[in-house]
């Protein structure tokens, strides 16, 4: 990815962790307490964009966790079973990740955005269709991939019956990044509907001068296939360890 786009991504993540951009790629695993937007997070955030991970923990856990966390490698934090073993003794509720973090540009996505031609902007005129898609998905699926088409740019595939088969939209972060979310009807997955919706959202974001970001769990193979098909370039990966704090 071109340096100017990497710098855009670095600025966002450095602000997220309240650190310097150079801290995102430490010479050895870096462990810090939550700061900035991480304050109040009920778990451990791990970001890997260089050779070693950046680990952010709630301040009450720093003293007990820092010595072992400094020994964690990128491979270890991206392997849930190995990471779970390292977290024995902590009140771990769930390990979420690793998640792929990718970005696309006009140059890198290029002709792969052609599926966007099969998608259409989703507006208030599609309220009923959006409601139908939401009802077809689980609450978790919608919370992760749903878009409020009334307040954010949104695109989807609408079949000849008026059914919305997939919906993708984006939130603008820091006036630079378009964070794309996507969800598809359970019975219409694997047919390219979500790919078309994501391609349309990415193309719209690029035209708006934004850098499209695509994040998905590595274990979600259909979603990863969309990233590969459209040409999103890997920036790094993230892991969130949810803790039962206060219990």
């Amino acid at each position: 990815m071109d340096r100017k786009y990497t710098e855009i991504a670095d600025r966002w993540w450095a602000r997220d962790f309240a650190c310097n951009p150079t801290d995102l790629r430490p010479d050895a695993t870096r462990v810090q307490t939550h700061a900035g937007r991480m304050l109040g997070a009920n778990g451990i955030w791990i970001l890997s964009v260089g050779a070693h991970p950046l680990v952010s923990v709630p301040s009450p856990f720093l003293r007990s966790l820092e010595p072992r966390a400094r020994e964690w490698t990128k491979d270890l934090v991206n392997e849930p079973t190995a990471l779970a073993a390292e977290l024995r003794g902590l009140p771990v509720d769930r390990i979420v990740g690793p998640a792929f973090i990718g970005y696309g540009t006009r140059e890198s996505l290029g002709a792969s955005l052609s599926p966007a031609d099969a998608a259409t902007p989703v507006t208030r005129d599609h309220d009923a269709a959006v409601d139908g898609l939401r009802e077809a998905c689980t609450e978790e699926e919608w919370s992760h991939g749903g878009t409020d088409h009334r307040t954010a740019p949104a695109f989807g595939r609408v079949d000849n019956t008026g059914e919305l088969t997939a919906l993708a939209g984006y939130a603008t972060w820091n006036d630079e990044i378009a964070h794309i979310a996507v969800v598809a009807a359970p019975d219409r997955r694997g047919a390219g509907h979500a790919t078309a919706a994501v391609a349309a959202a990415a193309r719209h974001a690029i035209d708006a001068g934004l850098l499209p970001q695509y994040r998905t769990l590595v274990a979600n193979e259909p979603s990863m296939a969309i990233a590969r098909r459209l040409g999103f370039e890997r920036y790094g990966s993230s892991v969130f360890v949810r803790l039962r704090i206060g219990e």
Side-chain angles (χ1 to χ4, degrees), residues 44-46 74-84 94-101 140 144 215-220 237-242:
I44 303 166
W45 272 104
I46 308 172
K74 184 166 66 173
D75 288 342
L76 184 147
V77 300
N78 285 317
E79 173 46 59
T81 301
L83 181 58
R94 184 182 179 189
I95 296 176
V96 182
F100 164 87
I101 305 170
E140 182 177 20
H144 289 168
R215 291 179 67 191
T216 185
L217 292 177
V218 172
N220 187 340
S237 61
S238 65
V239 176
F240 180 63
V241 181
R242 187 175 298 151

Side-chain angles (χ1 to χ4, degrees), residues 133-173:
L133 176 59
R134 183 168 188 167
E135 291 173 4
C137 297
T138 66
E139 184 176 341
E140 182 177 20
E141 288 171 339
W142 190 263
S143 67
H144 289 168
T147 295
D148 186 346
H149 65 292
R150 298 163 299 181
T151 59
F155 306 85
R157 285 290 302 273
V158 181
D159 67 14
N160 56 11
T161 69
E163 179 187 356
L164 182 65
T165 59
L167 175 69
Y170 66 82
T172 302
W173 290 0

